[in-house]
């Protein structure tokens, strides 16, 4: 299907990869892996012809259709979810227009016996036959099936695409790709925007897909469940084996060990030959033998050991000051978004130096409670931080708050203070941003590189309590391991929201499961929690519970999204919306105080009531927008 030969790409005079070659065939499901910045997304752009190649060739068989799930998408405003999804069927939609046009002409004409009328009948028959062959009578049902598989409800179908978050719009784009009958699918981090149930559905879809798939992902379980081949980009080369990721790692290590063993034996042979050459060279009777040995060495194929890129970030979270014994105390806490109750009667005590995991399904309130703890959102009930508590917070979308128009170095310098500004370059170096790399603009960084920068930026502020919400998103597998080691060595208090069992294993000493507005404590690590839940992994738990909830929902005929409000745009960041709300609430509070103290003078001001009502209405709109953004973020957490 695709033949890639001696492909090279360079940036700023340095090769990202050089003269790589491989072939894609039908049925190949390739996991494209490597460190952040190794060139995975770039390779997908080359295969999709989104980028020109520096040298080499990409030969594509005739009539092969390639679908590419890009990270940046741009929808036409005003289309509904269904209308946008139907864009996958360009030819069918064009035929529908022709059929409608002919039917309109037939309805207006009365010359039933004319040649022109007869030709219209023939054209209608031909076009309708072609329409049927293309699946014109089935595409609408197929579209609804794919959308539901990716998490959309029927009541979402007629909503405008601009009322959905970027993650949900990415699902629409993925649905279009899956509906297009592409021969090759190029998927760049598809699971970043999917909940557990949708990931499982996508795994099943891809396992039944007959074409070729190339997937960039750092989700080890997803790769193991879907792929049958792994291509790793490392130090400008590729390593290509017909194994899923975990099996590939074992096989590659075995091959490398064999190479090391053979190389060791060869080195001994070379050293022995060099000693003989040195010994015989000075003797005239042995000179010919020395020459023979030298020729043998020149002709010898030297064993090369596959290089391994072992450069990893050096991460350590220093504790600022020692806090009191009780870090966070929560009593009867509740949180709702409009009529949607997320948390109810929450009681929780977090002690100094504890390491706690928040687990459970999407939308159950894990991220919400984390945000409440760090003071980002309001709540009902009681929450008290302990003495000398200083919280460091890594939000799920932390990297999105970085300014793309700043350089890496400027980002850090602007966040630093007088005491640590001189350490900025050292900190960046420990996160693998060295030399000229620090002058790169944030907007050109990969998702994983942005996450590394966000982690580095955290170290510029003092903390003794660390709250992290899905910190492993976009991080390559080696970086995940480094982060885990740093958290294990962290001497402060850790609160961690995550679905990643491998990451959580051995990292926490207590687990809180979020379910049905409440939390339940398990006094042990994640393995103890899973043992108590009698499930092998989070996916099984969440799949079981989601299936149960779907059945309960169907029997009660409830509407999960009845209270969800539309929003015009999610371009404004959550922090910006919260800032506007706080400012407006203060203005309204000041006005209310004036009304109580000097009612007559206050209402006498020009346009007072219009201004007052406008402020209240604006506040209501901002609150609605904030609620929708928060719920959207919770759904993809």
């Amino acid at each position: 299907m695709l033949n890639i030969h001696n492909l090279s790409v360079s940036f700023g005079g340095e090769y990202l990869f050089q003269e790589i070659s491989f072939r894609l065939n039908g049925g190949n499901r390739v996991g494209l892996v490597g460190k952040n910045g190794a060139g995975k997304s770039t390779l997908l752009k080359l295969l999709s012809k989104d980028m020109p190649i520096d040298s080499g060739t990409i030969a594509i068989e005739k009539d092969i259709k390639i679908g590419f799930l890009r990270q940046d998408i741009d929808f036409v405003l005003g289309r509904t979810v269904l209308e946008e999804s139907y864009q996958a069927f360009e030819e069918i939609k064009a035929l529908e227009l022709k059929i409608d046009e002919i039917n309109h002409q037939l309805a207006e004409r009365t010359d039933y016996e004319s040649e022109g009328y007869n030709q219209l009948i023939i054209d209608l028959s031909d076009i309708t036959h072609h329409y049927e062959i293309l699946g014109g009578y089935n595409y609408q049902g197929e579209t609804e099936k794919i959308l539901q598989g990716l998490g959309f409800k029927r009541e979402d179908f007629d909503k405008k695409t601009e009322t959905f978050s970027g993650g949900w719009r990415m699902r629409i784009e993925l649905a279009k790709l899956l509906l297009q009958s592409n021969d090759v699918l190029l998927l760049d981090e598809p699971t970043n925007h999917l909940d557990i149930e949708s990931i499982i559905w996508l795994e099943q879809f891809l396992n039944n897909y007959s074409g070729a798939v190339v997937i960039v992902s750092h989700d080890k379980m997803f790769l193991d469940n879907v792929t049958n081949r792994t291509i790793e980009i490392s130090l400008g080369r590729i390593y290509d084996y017909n194994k899923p990721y975990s099996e590939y790692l074992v096989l590659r290590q075995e091959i490398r060990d064999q190479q090391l063993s053979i190389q060791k034996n060869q080195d001994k042979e070379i050293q022995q030959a060099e000693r003989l050459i040195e010994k015989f060279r000075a003797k005239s009777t042995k000179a010919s033998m020395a020459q023979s040995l030298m020729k043998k060495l020149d002709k010898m194929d030297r064993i090369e050991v596959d290089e391994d890129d072992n450069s990893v970030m050096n991460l350590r979270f220093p504790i600022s000051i020692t806090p009191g014994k009780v870090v966070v105390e929560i009593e009867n806490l509740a949180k709702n978004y409009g009529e949607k109750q997320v948390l109810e009667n929450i009681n929780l005590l977090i002690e100094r130096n504890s390491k706690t995991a928040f687990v459970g399904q999407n939308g159950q309130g894990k991220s919400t409670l984390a945000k409440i703890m760090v003071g980002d959102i309001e709540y009902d009930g009681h929450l008290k931080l302990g003495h000398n508590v200083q919280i460091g917070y890594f939000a799920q979308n932390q990297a999105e708050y970085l300014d793309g128009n700043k350089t890496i170095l400027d980002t850090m310098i602007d966040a630093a203070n007088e005491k640590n500004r001189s350490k900025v370059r050292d900190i960046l170096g420990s996160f693998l941003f060295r030399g000229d790399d620090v002058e790169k603009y944030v907007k050109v960084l990969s998702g994983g590189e942005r996450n590394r920068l966000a982690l580095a930026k955290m170290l510029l502020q003092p903390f003794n309590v660390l709250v992290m919400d899905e910190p492993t998103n976009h991080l390559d597998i080696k970086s995940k391991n480094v982060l885990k080691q740093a958290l294990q060595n962290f001497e402060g208090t850790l609160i961690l929201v995550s679905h990643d069992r491998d990451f959580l294993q051995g990292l926490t000493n207590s687990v809180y499961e979020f379910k049905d507005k409440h939390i339940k404590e398990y006094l042990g690590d994640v393995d103890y929690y899973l043992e108590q839940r009698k499930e092998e992994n989070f996916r099984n738990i969440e799949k079981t519970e989601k299936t149960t909830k779907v059945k309960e929902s169907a029997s009660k005929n409830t509407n999960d999204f009845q209270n969800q409000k539309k929003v015009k745009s999610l371009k404004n960041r959550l922090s910006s919306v919260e800032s506007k709300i706080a400012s407006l609430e203060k203005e309204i509070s000041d006005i209310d105080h004036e009304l109580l103290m000097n009612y007559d003078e206050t209402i006498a001001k020009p346009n007072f009531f219009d201004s007052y009502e406008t402020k209240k209405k604006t506040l209501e709109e901002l609150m609605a927008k904030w609620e929708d953004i928060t719920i959207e973020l919770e759904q993809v957490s």
Side-chain angles (χ1 to χ4, degrees):
M1 302 179 86
L2 270 74
N3 190 26
I4 294 84
H5 182 66
N6 288 341
L7 189 65
S8 298
V9 171
S10 62
F11 291 102
E14 293 186 7
Y15 279 101
L16 197 57
F17 41 78
Q18 187 173 13
E19 295 186 351
I20 63 172
S21 300
F22 61 94
R23 180 176 176 81
L24 285 179
N25 298 309
N28 285 166
R29 295 192 296 276
V30 179
L32 184 60
V33 301
K35 289 182 60 176
N36 297 133
K40 303 183 296 294
S41 295
T42 298
L43 182 54
L44 292 192
K45 291 175 183 176
L46 293 170
L47 296 179
S48 65
K49 298 186 177 180
D50 275 18
M51 275 182 63
I53 59 178
D54 287 357
S55 62
T57 58
I58 300 177
I60 304 175
E61 292 180 9
K62 188 179 179 181
D63 298 328
I64 291 295
K65 293 172 61 179
I66 299 176
F68 181 24
L69 181 66
R70 298 169 177 84
Q71 292 298 309
D72 300 320
I73 56 174
D74 186 21
F75 286 168
V76 175
L77 296 180
R79 286 177 181 164
T80 66
V81 172
L82 272 181
E83 288 169 344
E84 183 62 42
S85 301
Y86 289 158
Q87 298 306 306
F89 304 98
E90 292 182 11
E91 191 173 0
I92 287 177
K93 299 298 290 184
L95 291 176
E96 283 183 341
L97 290 176
K98 289 182 180 180
I99 290 171
D100 288 344
E101 183 182 341
I102 293 175
N103 281 327
H104 181 70
Q105 292 183 47
L106 291 173
E108 289 184 340
R109 295 179 64 156
T110 57
D111 54 336
Y112 307 123
E113 304 299 327
S114 70
E115 184 177 338
Y117 191 91
N118 185 54
Q119 186 60 48
L120 284 176
I121 295 293
I122 295 172
D123 291 344
L124 180 62
S125 177
D126 291 343
I127 294 172
T128 302
H129 180 65
H130 187 40
Y131 179 79
E132 183 177 0
I133 291 175
L134 291 177
Y137 296 113
N138 302 319
Y139 80 93
Q140 293 178 335
E142 188 65 20
T143 300
E144 293 182 10
K145 177 183 174 182
I146 296 289
L147 286 172
Q148 287 178 311
L150 290 173
F152 289 93
K153 307 297 182 185
R154 285 192 173 275
E155 53 266 31
D156 296 328
F157 291 170
D158 294 323
K159 294 178 181 178
K160 304 295 185 184
T161 59
E162 56 263 33
T163 66
F164 290 89
S165 70
W168 282 94
R169 289 201 296 271
M170 193 65 76
R171 295 190 194 205
I172 300 172
E173 188 69 13
L174 178 57
K176 288 160 61 177
L177 287 182
L178 302 185
L179 288 164
Q180 284 171 352
S181 300
N182 289 297
D183 302 292
V184 179
L185 288 177
L186 308 175
L187 306 179
D188 195 355
E189 294 283 5
T191 61
N192 278 359
H193 309 285
L194 303 180
D195 57 25
I196 297 299
E197 187 179 21
S198 298
I199 290 174
I200 293 170
W201 180 90
L202 180 60
E203 287 177 352
Q204 294 170 344
F205 182 96
L206 293 177
N207 282 327
N208 293 322
Y209 179 68
S210 60
V213 187
V214 181
I215 304 166
V216 172
S217 179
H218 299 130
D219 186 334
K220 179 180 174 183
M221 184 175 289
F222 180 71
L223 290 173
D224 284 343
N225 288 343
V226 170
T227 63
N228 54 23
R229 180 179 172 189
T230 299
I231 296 178
E232 180 180 9
I233 303 177
S234 178
L235 299 173
R237 297 182 56 188
I238 64 167
Y239 299 90
D240 185 359
Y241 293 96
N242 291 320
K243 298 286 184 182
Y245 181 71
S246 292
E247 294 181 30
Y248 158 74
L249 288 179
V250 174
L251 179 60
R252 187 180 172 194
Q253 187 58 47
E254 289 176 352
I255 292 173
R256 197 167 186 276
D257 290 343
Q258 289 175 2
Q259 290 174 338
L260 284 168
S261 177
I262 297 171
Q263 185 188 61
K264 187 176 180 180
N265 291 332
Q266 188 182 65
D267 286 344
K268 289 180 180 178
E269 183 181 345
I270 292 170
Q271 290 170 10
Q272 177 67 19
E274 288 175 342
R275 282 195 296 269
L276 290 173
I277 291 170
E278 191 65 29
K279 182 178 179 181
F280 296 153
R281 181 179 289 168
K283 297 180 180 180
S284 58
T285 57
K286 302 289 187 180
S288 61
M289 185 178 295
Q291 288 292 327
S292 177
L293 286 171
M294 290 171 66
K295 288 179 182 179
K296 180 181 179 183
L297 285 182
D298 289 340
K299 293 179 180 180
M300 183 181 290
D301 291 329
R302 304 294 176 103
I303 300 298
E304 293 185 0
V305 178
D306 292 342
E307 288 187 76
D308 196 6
D309 188 352
N310 291 314
S311 58
V312 293
M313 61 182 180
N314 179 22
L315 180 56
R316 179 177 174 269
F317 294 110
I319 187 171
S320 54
I321 57 177
T322 303
K325 183 178 180 181
V326 175
V327 171
V328 181
E329 183 178 3
I330 295 174
E331 292 181 358
N332 298 323
L333 185 144
K335 177 62 184 175
N336 63 286
Y337 299 117
E339 297 181 16
K340 180 179 175 62
Q341 190 78 30
V342 178
L343 297 171
E344 186 175 73
N345 193 30
I346 300 299
N347 296 286
L348 178 63
L349 187 72
I350 302 289
E351 294 189 345
R352 182 180 61 219
N353 297 339
S354 62
K355 287 182 166 60
T356 304
F358 288 175
V359 303
Q361 290 177 265
N362 293 335
Q364 292 294 321
K366 305 183 298 296
S367 295
T368 294
L369 187 57
K371 290 172 186 173
I372 288 173
M373 286 182 176
V374 301
D376 270 11
I377 56 178
E378 295 180 351
Y379 57 91
D380 296 317
H382 173 77
L383 183 148
K384 180 182 178 182
L385 296 181
H387 179 63
N388 281 339
V389 166
Q390 296 177 329
I391 296 181
Y393 177 46
F394 188 92
Q396 182 182 147
N397 57 337
Q398 188 78 31
E400 295 178 12
Y401 292 100
L402 299 173
D403 187 343
N405 293 316
K406 287 184 180 180
T407 65
I408 293 172
L409 184 59
D410 288 341
T411 297
M412 292 290 285
I413 289 176
D414 291 347
N417 54 43
E418 292 299 326
K419 291 182 179 180
N420 57 28
R421 190 164 287 123
S422 62
K423 300 179 181 178
V424 161
R425 283 187 177 271
D426 290 337
I427 294 173
L428 284 174
S430 69
F431 281 81
L432 304 181
F433 297 116
R434 297 164 183 156
D436 293 339
D437 285 346
V438 300
E439 300 300 336
K440 287 182 179 178
Y441 283 95
V442 171
K443 60 187 175 185
V444 305
L445 301 180
S446 68
E449 288 171 324
R450 291 191 187 198
N451 257 25
R452 290 211 313 265
L453 178 57
L455 285 169
K457 189 178 173 184
M458 279 187 66
L459 299 187
L460 297 173
Q461 304 300 324
F463 55 82
N464 47 33
V465 176
L466 188 51
V467 179
M468 307 193 86
D469 190 356
E470 298 289 358
T472 59
N473 281 353
H474 298 290
L475 287 182
D476 61 62
I477 294 168
K478 286 184 178 179
S479 295
K480 282 185 185 181
N481 293 336
V482 171
L483 176 58
K484 180 175 179 178
Q485 185 65 50
L487 294 177
Q488 287 173 329
N489 295 332
F490 179 52
E491 295 179 355
T493 306
L494 175 65
I495 299 168
L496 185 61
V497 180
S498 180
H499 285 108
D500 192 330
R501 174 184 175 177
D502 290 335
F503 185 70
L504 287 175
Q505 209 165 28
L507 187 53
T508 62
N509 48 37
S510 66
V511 174
Y512 283 92
E513 181 184 37
F514 285 63
K515 182 181 178 183
D516 297 332
K517 307 171 193 174
H518 297 90
I519 61 175
K520 182 178 180 180
E521 184 179 16
Y522 291 82
L523 293 174
D525 68 358
V526 68
D527 286 335
Y528 174 78
Y529 159 71
L530 293 171
E531 180 184 331
Q532 294 299 304
R533 296 290 272 105
K534 293 183 172 57
E535 291 286 358
E536 182 181 349
N537 55 53
F538 290 147
R539 292 185 176 207
N540 291 348
I541 293 172
E542 297 190 14
K543 183 179 180 182
T544 301
E545 291 180 354
K546 280 180 174 283
T547 303
T548 302
K549 287 201 170 189
V550 168
K551 291 179 180 179
E552 290 175 353
S553 177
S555 65
K556 295 176 182 178
N557 195 27
T558 58
N559 183 352
D560 292 335
F561 289 90
Q562 186 175 2
N563 299 314
Q564 184 180 357
K565 296 181 180 180
K566 289 184 179 181
V567 290
K568 291 183 178 180
S569 171
L570 289 176
K571 293 180 181 178
N572 291 331
R573 295 172 180 170
L574 189 59
S575 60
S576 174
V577 175
E578 290 168 347
S579 176
K580 291 177 183 177
I581 289 173
S583 176
L584 206 50
E585 283 180 334
K586 187 177 185 307
E587 289 181 33
I588 293 172
S589 177
D590 290 344
I591 294 172
D592 289 339
H593 181 71
E594 286 182 27
L595 284 170
L596 287 173
M597 302 301 295
N598 301 294
Y599 180 80
D600 292 332
E601 287 184 29
T602 303
I603 64 173
K605 293 178 180 179
N607 301 321
F608 168 77
F609 282 111
D610 288 342
S611 175
Y612 185 56
E613 288 301 319
T614 298
K615 290 180 186 296
K616 292 181 70 174
K617 184 178 179 181
T618 302
L619 179 61
E620 290 177 359
E621 292 171 351
L622 283 171
M623 289 298 295
K625 186 175 183 179
W626 180 86
E627 290 170 6
D628 286 335
I629 293 174
T630 304
I631 291 171
E632 295 285 4
L633 290 173
E634 191 70 49
Q635 288 173 342
V636 296
S637 65

